[in-house]
Amino acid sequence: MNAHTKAILDQLDAHYGREYICYLNHENAWQLLIATMLSAQCTDARVNIVTKDLFVKYPSVEAFAEADLKELEQDIRPTGFYHNKAKNIIACCQRLMALHGGEVPSGLEELTALPGVGRKTANVIRGNIFHEPSVVVDTHVKRISKKLGLTKEDDPEKVEYELMKVLPKDHWILYNIQIITLGRTICKAPTPKCGECFLTEWCKDYQNRQKKESRKKK
């Protein structure tokens, strides 16, 4: 790990601590799996409102596997893209019942073989449930990592591999939690609050913009 990366991680630890926080409410692996699938293009806060009743109505993987598609669509409608999400959730739970005895597997390949489960969702499960070091690349992580100069990639999977190279394993899950907090409070898109940010000294994007401004003034 180079000095630039270490300085960023030290600042993140100092401001946000090293506690593992999951913003999606869940009591077990399958609930987190479904909540993460629902969180695509939707806020965690809205997902938590929906799942509060959803997990009462459907109390098991089997219940979701046997759900009526049209009914489930209406149950999850507030999360958006509900046609696709409902179809994937039912198919995913049917596969869990058929191949895994209703249990959520821990392997990346087994998880990504489930309908509607990509690397991001799989890594959320692996990190939060099975405590397997994993890098979760969501919109905040992709955007802010590029600003900080930790990656030059745009493809989430390529960003994941780059971050795995530059971040120590004990920060893989932690980094995601910290960057989400930063992205929601300070480094917002499209209007970041750079004046409030504690990372401007190490932010390549901020430094480049400052240089351009100083050149204009000359």
Side-chain angles (χ1 to χ4, degrees), residues 15 139 179:
H15 282 79
T139 53
I179 293 295

Side-chain angles (χ1 to χ4, degrees), residues 43-59:
T43 65
D44 291 350
R46 185 176 292 277
V47 171
N48 288 336
I49 292 168
V50 170
T51 56
K52 186 178 179 183
D53 294 328
L54 191 71
F55 293 152
V56 172
K57 183 173 180 178
Y58 304 95

Side-chain angles (χ1 to χ4, degrees), residues 21-37:
I21 303 162
C22 183
Y23 294 101
L24 291 167
N25 296 339
H26 65 283
E27 292 178 1
N28 50 51
W30 67 261
Q31 286 187 356
L32 181 57
L33 178 62
I34 289 171
T36 308
M37 291 170 78

Side-chain angles (χ1 to χ4, degrees), residues 1-208:
M1 177 170 57
N2 63 30
H4 175 74
T5 305
K6 184 179 186 307
I8 290 169
L9 297 184
D10 286 348
Q11 287 295 317
L12 288 170
D13 286 353
H15 282 79
Y16 298 132
R18 294 175 61 92
E19 185 184 352
Y20 282 30
I21 303 162
C22 183
Y23 294 101
L24 291 167
N25 296 339
H26 65 283
E27 292 178 1
N28 50 51
W30 67 261
Q31 286 187 356
L32 181 57
L33 178 62
I34 289 171
T36 308
M37 291 170 78
L38 291 174
S39 72
Q41 306 295 312
C42 182
T43 65
D44 291 350
R46 185 176 292 277
V47 171
N48 288 336
I49 292 168
V50 170
T51 56
K52 186 178 179 183
D53 294 328
L54 191 71
F55 293 152
V56 172
K57 183 173 180 178
Y58 304 95
S60 65
V61 172
E62 189 174 8
F64 275 103
E66 295 173 353
D68 176 78
L69 177 62
K70 294 296 179 189
E71 193 173 342
L72 182 59
E73 283 179 354
Q74 294 312 307
D75 292 332
I76 65 169
R77 187 173 184 141
T79 68
F81 301 96
Y82 57 93
H83 295 300
N84 213 32
K85 288 179 182 179
K87 184 183 73 175
N88 281 333
I89 287 169
I90 291 172
C92 176
C93 289
Q94 287 173 344
R95 191 176 177 96
L96 287 177
M97 292 301 298
L99 299 183
H100 303 287
E103 298 293 322
V104 177
S106 61
L108 185 64
E109 286 184 12
E110 292 170 303
L111 283 164
T112 53
L114 297 169
V117 177
R119 292 183 70 89
K120 178 198 154 191
T121 299
N123 282 328
V124 168
I125 299 300
R126 282 166 57 77
N128 288 281
I129 300 296
F130 299 106
H131 308 294
E132 292 278 348
S134 49
V135 175
V136 179
V137 179
D138 61 8
T139 53
H140 294 296
V141 169
K142 177 182 154 184
R143 176 174 57 83
I144 296 173
S145 296
K146 201 167 181 183
K147 282 177 177 284
L148 293 171
L150 297 179
T151 180
K152 292 179 180 175
E153 300 292 345
D154 288 308
D155 178 72
E157 190 170 334
K158 289 179 180 177
V159 173
E160 180 189 331
Y161 287 128
E162 277 217 310
L163 291 177
M164 286 167 76
K165 288 178 189 172
V166 300
L167 299 175
K169 267 194 176 184
D170 67 344
H171 265 83
W172 283 8
I173 301 168
L174 201 55
Y175 178 78
N176 171 257
I177 295 165
Q178 294 168 333
I179 293 295
I180 284 177
T181 308
L182 181 72
R184 287 176 175 172
T185 56
I186 297 172
C187 193
K188 296 182 175 184
T191 51
K193 301 175 184 176
C194 296
E196 297 176 22
C197 189
F198 53 87
L199 288 176
T200 50
E201 188 180 337
W202 301 277
C203 178
K204 298 285 177 73
D205 181 65
Y206 178 80
Q207 295 296 333
N208 288 337

